[in-house]
Amino acid sequence: MSAILEVKDLKKYFKVPSGLLHAVDDVSFSIERGHTLGVVGESGCGKSTLGRLLLRLIEPDAGQIRFDGQEITALDDKAMHALRQKMQMIFQDPFSSLDPRMSVRDTIAEPLKIYGLAKSKEEIEKRVEAMMDTVGLSKRFINSYPHEMDGGRRQRIGIARALILDPSFIVCDEPVSALDVSIQAQILNLMQDLKREKGLTYLFITHDMSVVKHISDTICVMYLGKIVETSSTRALFRDPTHPYTQALLSAIPIPDIHVKRERILLRGELSSPIDPQPGCRFAPRCNHATERCSREDPLLREIEPGHYVACHLCDGVQ
């Protein structure tokens, strides 16, 4: 199976009063067509910035992004506008991402009008109603406004808006984090069904390890702008290798009072992402850090087929 998206050495730095904030720093990965890549990590690690870089909603400072075999980082605005029919996004907050002055009909129909994909009002109406049915949104809400609906229905509007152009790749930026648990399950199941029916490829951004386990084929773990581990979901949960990944998995609640798991507590201060010094960025919080970790950046190495880790513990040299 071929990769629909290939990212190599992607970087994005933001100027702040005290220097350059390294939001995304030398990130490389690929996503197979029809698969879901989960991106996890603490708030502020660069997940959302990464998602926006892939769609060029913000411009990268360096690196390559290849979509369907085409290098897109140098495309002009007109070419990117055309390409975004195949690259869409579902945002985190289903209320703030919707225009409060636009009805459900207008919100879902807007992409069709922008790209001129419907020849008449009747065709727009037909396609909007069909998409509402696809995402499980009753047609009685077609004239409703976001403030009249609950979070789950609002997110279904966001999903419908993303799907109306028939994309092949969707960036999902924490699409269920603002929803109740029962509604989360409904939205996740809907997204899984749509993935199978339409052959969609997802980049799924979340901080919830239970959610990412449910929906992802492969997982990337980010820490302060860097990917520290990437693997198939099954392998990552079976044998987490990077100390940060191990700490994340140890924090997942287990709904069984008879099962005990040793919690790995992270102590120490976060490294500054502003003009970071050489060395592993996780070292100040790592229980296994050595002197080498504080002076030398670990490389992302393949320790077994498809399993990559950026940790000096894994290269056998201390």
Side-chain angles (χ1 to χ4, degrees), residues 42 223 243-252 261-269 282-288:
E42 294 170 280
Y223 187 81
Y244 179 60
T245 309
Q246 294 171 355
L248 287 181
L249 295 187
S250 76
I252 299 175
R261 173 192 287 157
E262 181 182 355
R263 176 72 189 276
I264 300 174
L265 298 177
L266 298 180
R267 298 179 173 85
E269 295 293 327
F282 184 63
R285 304 173 72 192
C286 182
N287 297 326
H288 308 284

Side-chain angles (χ1 to χ4, degrees), residues 147-310:
H147 71 273
E148 300 175 298
M149 312 180 79
D150 61 27
R153 292 192 178 99
R154 290 176 195 145
Q155 196 59 289
R156 290 177 192 270
I157 299 170
I159 294 171
R161 179 177 59 184
L163 289 177
I164 196 71
L165 294 176
D166 194 26
S168 52
F169 173 64
I170 300 179
V171 174
C172 311
D173 186 7
E174 302 201 43
V176 297
S177 64
L179 306 177
D180 294 337
V181 173
S182 60
I183 306 300
Q184 283 187 15
Q186 294 176 24
I187 297 298
L188 289 172
N189 290 334
L190 170 63
M191 293 179 68
Q192 290 284 62
D193 292 341
L194 292 170
K195 175 186 171 183
R196 287 190 293 268
E197 293 169 10
K198 297 179 176 294
L200 297 172
T201 304
Y202 292 141
L203 179 92
F204 195 95
I205 298 167
T206 183
H207 60 268
D208 190 323
M209 297 299 291
S210 299
V211 167
V212 82
K213 181 180 182 181
H214 174 73
I215 200 168
S216 301
D217 300 294
T218 308
I219 296 175
C220 284
V221 181
M222 287 189 71
Y223 187 81
L224 291 183
K226 293 273 194 180
I227 291 180
V228 298
E229 185 163 6
T230 182
S231 171
S232 70
T233 301
R234 180 176 297 180
L236 191 83
F237 277 80
R238 182 187 67 241
D239 185 25
T241 303
H242 195 280
Y244 179 60
T245 309
Q246 294 171 355
L248 287 181
L249 295 187
S250 76
I252 299 175
I254 300 176
D256 188 341
I257 62 173
H258 302 293
V259 176
K260 295 187 181 297
R261 173 192 287 157
E262 181 182 355
R263 176 72 189 276
I264 300 174
L265 298 177
L266 298 180
R267 298 179 173 85
E269 295 293 327
L270 281 166
S271 299
S272 174
I274 300 172
D275 296 325
Q277 299 298 312
C280 176
R281 295 179 189 180
F282 184 63
R285 304 173 72 192
C286 182
N287 297 326
H288 308 284
T290 65
E291 189 273 336
R292 182 188 180 197
C293 299
S294 63
R295 58 179 169 80
E296 183 179 332
D297 289 339
L299 300 177
L300 196 63
R301 304 174 186 273
E302 188 173 28
I303 60 171
E304 60 182 18
H307 192 163
Y308 296 81
V309 183

Side-chain angles (χ1 to χ4, degrees), residues 71-193:
E71 168 60 48
I72 71 171
T73 51
L75 294 181
D76 59 23
D77 291 344
K78 183 177 180 180
M80 275 305 304
H81 176 75
L83 186 64
R84 286 200 184 104
Q85 284 188 245
K86 296 299 181 183
M87 307 171 74
Q88 289 292 303
M89 189 165 190
I90 300 170
F91 295 91
Q92 177 176 357
D93 187 342
F95 188 70
S96 64
S97 65
L98 301 175
D99 189 330
R101 298 165 296 181
M102 295 177 67
S103 67
V104 172
R105 173 193 286 108
D106 293 337
T107 299
I108 299 174
E110 186 179 28
L112 296 176
K113 296 175 181 177
I114 290 173
Y115 283 92
L117 298 179
K119 299 178 180 179
S120 65
K121 290 183 178 179
E122 291 74 20
E123 184 180 351
I124 289 176
E125 190 81 2
K126 183 177 179 181
R127 292 184 63 172
V128 168
E129 290 183 356
M131 185 52 63
M132 290 178 67
D133 186 60
T134 297
V135 301
L137 195 61
S138 173
K139 293 183 180 65
R140 66 187 174 91
F141 294 111
I142 196 165
N143 293 312
S144 299
Y145 289 84
H147 71 273
E148 300 175 298
M149 312 180 79
D150 61 27
R153 292 192 178 99
R154 290 176 195 145
Q155 196 59 289
R156 290 177 192 270
I157 299 170
I159 294 171
R161 179 177 59 184
L163 289 177
I164 196 71
L165 294 176
D166 194 26
S168 52
F169 173 64
I170 300 179
V171 174
C172 311
D173 186 7
E174 302 201 43
V176 297
S177 64
L179 306 177
D180 294 337
V181 173
S182 60
I183 306 300
Q184 283 187 15
Q186 294 176 24
I187 297 298
L188 289 172
N189 290 334
L190 170 63
M191 293 179 68
Q192 290 284 62
D193 292 341

Side-chain angles (χ1 to χ4, degrees), residues 48-74:
S48 295
T49 301
L50 174 62
R52 285 163 170 76
L53 286 171
L54 299 182
L55 303 186
R56 283 188 56 196
L57 299 179
I58 54 177
E59 295 294 334
D61 294 325
Q64 297 179 338
I65 305 170
R66 297 184 66 85
F67 178 73
D68 258 345
Q70 180 182 15
E71 168 60 48
I72 71 171
T73 51

